[in-house]
Amino acid sequence: MSESKPDTPYIAPPSSSRKLPDFKQSVKLKYVKLGYHYLITHGMYLFLSPLVVVVAAQLSTFSLQDVYVLWDHLRFNLISMILCSTLLVFLSTLHFLTCPRPVYLVNFACYKPEDARKCTRQIFMERSCSTGSFTQENLEFQRKILERSGLGESTYLPEAVLGVPPNPCMAEARKEAEAVMYGALDELFAKTSVKPKDIGILIVNCSLFNPTPSLSAMVINHYRLRGNIISYNLGGMGCSAGLISIDLAKDLLQVHPNSYAVVISMENITLNWYFGNERSMLVSNCLFRMGGAAILLSNKSSDRRRSKYRLVHTVRTHKGSDDKCFSCVTQMEDSCGKVGVSLSKDLMAVAGDALKTNITTLGPLVLPMSEQLLFFASLVWNKLFKMKIKPYIPDFKLAFEHFCIHAGGRAVLDELEKNLHLSDWQMEPSRMTLNRFGNTSSSSLWYELAYTEAKGRMKKGDRTWQIAFGSGFKCNSAVWKALRTINPAKEKNPWMDEIDQFPVDVPKVSAI
C-alpha cells in the first residue's frame, strides 16, 4: 500500500450521493436512547407477539367437532375437573388475602397564615436586632445566610416571634399549633365533606414541640373525634417525619378495613427560636418558617373515583447507627445554656450518603428495566475489569414526571438537582416553595405538590416522587400515581390567588 506524501496537501473528494451521512450530526443521540428504552421496556411484548400470532393461527384451525371432543374429555374426567377447580379457588383466595389494600390520597390541605404573619427579610433583620441577643458579627452572619438562602419576602413567622419584644412561651406555642393544625384540618374537611367522626386513624408529627396533652389529643378534643380512634403523636423525627407518618398510616390501613386516616405534618417555631450566638444554631433561624399540612388517606374502594392519588411505594432509610450521621442535626444547649438546633458541617455529605442508600432501594421498584440493565452493567464492568469509571447514574426522569424535594435550603436543592440531573422545570416546585413559604419542615412536600396542581401540570397517570431528609439521619421517599387530571380552576390551595406570579427569578445572592 502506497503512503501519501506528508507535504502533499489533502484535497477533499467531491461530494457524492453515496457518501454515508454523519450520524452524530443527523441523528440526535437522545432519540437513540429513547429507542433503546422503548425496546427494552416493551421487549416482553415484542417477544410474545409472534408466539401469540402462532397460537391464534393454530386455534383458528379448530373445528366445532374438535371443541366437542375436548368438552367430552373434560366432562368425563371428574377428578381433573375437581382438582383444577380447587386449585383455582385456592390461588384466587391466596391472592386476595396477600394482596395489599390500595391506599388512596383523597385530598390534602396546606395552611396559609394570615397576612399579619408575613415576615420580609428586612423585618427579620430588624426583629433580630431589636432582641439585643445577637452580636454584631452574628447579625451580619444571619444577613449573609438569608441573602443566599433562596427565601423571598413573603414567608411567615408566628406572632410570638414577630412581636417586640418576642414572647416565646408555652401558651403562644399552643396558639401557633392550634392555628396551623385547625386551619389545615378545617380546609381539608371542607374539601372532602368527610365528617370528623368518620376518622379512624390520626397521626400528628411535629419534631420539636411535644406538649402534654399531646398535639394529637388537642385535635381529638377540638373536633370531638370518636373514642376508639387510633392516634399517634410522632416527635423528634425531623423534617422527614411527614413521610414516616404516611408510611405508618399505610401500614395501619392494611389491617383496618374501610377506614379513613388523617396525617398532620407541621413544625412549631415559637419555642424553638434560638436567641444565642452559636453560629451552627443560627442557620435554622434563617430558614425555618411557619406552616403545616393535613392529608386524608382512605382504603375504601368507593373513594377511588374521587381520590387524587394512589400510594405506590414508601421507602425509608435510617443511618442512625453511624455516629457522624446521628449527630449532624442535634437539639442542644450552647455554652450559655440557650437551646437551639445545631447543624453540622457534615450535613450535606451525610444527606448525600442517605439519599444514595434510599434510591438504591427505590430504583428497582420504579426504574424501567432499561435503566436497571445499564446500572447493573456498569457495576459488573467495574468489578470484573477493575476499571475506576464513574458508575452509571440511573435516569429517574424516566420513572417520574414530578419531583417534590424537601425545601430544606438552597444548598440541598442545588445538590439534588446536580446529582439527579433534574431540569429547572422539575426543580421549580421545590425552589418556589422555599422562596414563598421557606422551610416549613415536614409539610414542605405538600406545598410543592400543591404548586404542581396549581400550575395545572398534574395529569392522570403521572407519577410523583417525594423525597425528605431528617435528623437521625433519615432519608425517606414516597411515590404517588395520579388517578385523575387535576383541574386548577377547581382547586383551593395556598397558591391559587397568586400562582400567575410564579415562577420568579431567585438570584444566587439577593442583598437585603
Side-chain angles (χ1 to χ4, degrees):
M1 183 180 288
S2 60
E3 296 181 1
S4 60
K5 297 180 181 179
D7 57 345
T8 302
Y10 173 75
I11 301 175
S15 61
S16 170
S17 59
R18 295 181 180 180
K19 182 180 177 182
L20 291 175
D22 186 349
F23 284 100
K24 288 186 178 180
Q25 298 295 327
S26 62
V27 179
K28 292 184 178 180
L29 295 179
K30 175 179 71 174
Y31 297 112
V32 175
K33 186 176 181 182
L34 288 175
Y36 160 74
H37 289 302
Y38 183 85
L39 177 65
I40 298 297
T41 303
H42 299 88
M44 184 61 70
Y45 301 106
L46 297 175
F47 174 76
L48 291 177
S49 294
L51 184 62
V52 171
V53 171
V54 171
V55 172
Q58 184 65 32
L59 290 175
S60 66
T61 63
F62 271 41
S63 65
L64 193 60
Q65 185 63 34
D66 293 329
V67 176
Y68 283 140
V69 171
L70 181 62
W71 168 249
D72 285 339
H73 176 74
L74 293 175
R75 185 176 60 176
F76 293 109
N77 197 339
L78 185 61
I79 296 177
S80 298
M81 286 290 290
I82 293 175
L83 288 176
C84 290
S85 301
T86 304
L87 180 62
L88 184 63
V89 171
F90 173 75
L91 292 177
S92 301
T93 305
L94 184 65
H95 170 74
F96 284 111
L97 288 177
T98 58
C99 184
R101 303 176 191 272
V103 174
Y104 303 114
L105 192 160
V106 181
N107 216 323
F108 67 97
C110 298
Y111 174 66
K112 187 175 185 179
E114 56 190 11
D115 288 344
R117 304 279 76 77
K118 278 189 178 180
C119 176
T120 66
R121 295 180 303 152
Q122 186 62 47
I123 289 176
F124 175 90
M125 292 307 304
E126 290 174 358
R127 296 296 188 272
S128 296
C129 288
S130 66
T131 63
S133 301
F134 308 110
T135 64
Q136 192 60 41
E137 292 79 5
N138 280 333
L139 285 171
E140 188 59 28
F141 172 75
Q142 291 183 76
R143 180 187 299 275
K144 289 181 179 179
I145 293 292
L146 204 56
E147 290 176 342
R148 293 163 174 78
S149 65
L151 270 68
E153 301 291 353
S154 300
T155 59
Y156 301 93
L157 282 174
E159 183 179 356
V161 175
L162 283 178
V164 181
N167 182 29
C169 63
M170 180 61 76
E172 288 294 329
R174 284 184 178 275
K175 183 178 176 181
E176 179 192 351
E178 290 170 355
V180 173
M181 293 192 302
Y182 304 161
L185 280 172
D186 287 345
E187 183 178 329
L188 180 67
F189 290 140
K191 281 183 174 182
T192 60
S193 300
V194 171
K195 299 176 181 178
K197 289 285 186 181
D198 295 333
I199 305 302
I201 300 167
L202 173 67
I203 304 172
V204 181
N205 69 265
C206 183
S207 187
L208 297 176
F209 181 56
N210 292 288
T212 301
S214 66
L215 296 173
S216 59
M218 290 167 60
V219 173
I220 292 170
N221 176 262
H222 181 79
Y223 290 97
R224 299 294 188 261
L225 302 185
R226 64 197 201 197
N228 65 342
I229 190 168
I230 301 169
S231 67
Y232 292 86
N233 196 92
L234 306 183
M237 304 193 80
C239 299
S240 68
L243 296 187
I244 294 174
S245 298
I246 294 294
D247 183 65
L248 175 59
K250 178 194 74 173
D251 291 342
L252 291 170
L253 288 170
Q254 296 305 310
V255 295
H256 295 280
N258 204 37
S259 296
Y260 283 120
V262 166
V263 171
I264 303 173
S265 292
M266 58 169 291
E267 193 50 81
N268 193 282
I269 305 296
T270 298
L271 283 181
N272 297 290
W273 201 254
Y274 177 61
F275 291 97
N277 283 283
E278 182 65 42
R279 291 195 173 184
S280 66
M281 299 182 180
L282 284 171
V283 176
S284 59
N285 281 12
C286 302
L287 298 178
F288 282 89
R289 294 295 184 266
M290 186 179 182
I295 304 97
L296 179 66
L297 303 174
S298 172
N299 59 10
K300 301 180 181 182
S301 57
S302 59
D303 280 323
R304 189 187 191 282
R305 183 181 297 273
R306 68 169 183 149
S307 296
K308 286 184 172 181
Y309 306 96
R310 177 175 63 85
L311 182 60
V312 182
H313 299 293
T314 54
V315 175
R316 292 169 57 178
T317 301
H318 205 305
K319 309 290 287 186
S321 59
D322 183 281
D323 290 340
K324 186 170 72 171
C325 298
F326 174 75
S327 59
C328 68
V329 180
T330 309
Q331 186 180 27
M332 57 189 293
E333 294 175 333
D334 64 11
S335 56
C336 298
K338 295 179 179 178
V339 178
V341 176
S342 175
L343 305 180
S344 167
K345 293 180 180 179
D346 298 323
L347 179 59
M348 292 306 302
V350 166
D353 183 53
L355 175 66
K356 180 181 176 182
T357 304
N358 190 268
I359 63 177
T360 301
T361 306
L362 180 67
L365 300 175
V366 298
L367 286 170
M369 184 57 68
S370 54
E371 283 297 288
Q372 296 187 49
L373 288 175
L374 289 175
F375 178 70
F376 179 73
S378 71
L379 290 180
V380 172
W381 185 269
N382 280 336
K383 288 290 183 181
L384 291 180
F385 299 99
K386 307 296 182 182
M387 297 179 67
K388 294 183 179 179
I389 62 173
K390 188 176 181 181
Y392 178 74
I393 299 176
D395 187 359
F396 280 91
K397 296 188 292 294
L398 293 170
F400 306 108
E401 285 73 34
H402 308 285
F403 296 80
C404 295
I405 301 168
H406 167 53
R410 185 171 202 150
V412 174
L413 299 182
D414 288 346
E415 282 299 311
L416 265 73
E417 178 181 10
K418 181 177 70 174
N419 290 328
L420 296 177
H421 305 297
L422 302 180
S423 66
D424 291 340
W425 186 88
Q426 289 158 337
M427 293 297 299
E428 187 180 310
S430 300
R431 293 197 184 279
M432 295 305 103
T433 295
L434 181 64
N435 179 267
R436 177 62 181 85
F437 293 97
N439 181 351
T440 60
S441 190
S442 56
S443 66
S444 67
L445 299 173
W446 302 103
Y447 288 91
E448 294 164 17
L449 189 58
Y451 180 91
T452 304
E453 293 183 355
K455 279 292 184 180
R457 297 176 180 177
M458 191 62 68
K459 309 300 181 184
K460 182 178 181 179
D462 281 2
R463 298 153 297 178
T464 302
W465 182 15
Q466 291 182 319
I467 319 169
F469 302 92
S471 58
F473 190 86
K474 299 178 285 292
C475 176
N476 299 318
S477 294
V479 178
W480 304 90
K481 185 174 182 179
L483 298 176
R484 56 185 171 89
T485 298
I486 307 300
N487 182 359
K490 298 180 179 179
E491 288 299 306
K492 180 184 179 183
N493 71 44
W495 296 95
M496 291 312 302
D497 58 350
E498 53 186 291
I499 191 62
D500 293 338
Q501 302 172 24
F502 293 91
V504 297
D505 179 58
V506 184
K508 295 291 184 182
V509 180
S510 179
I512 299 176

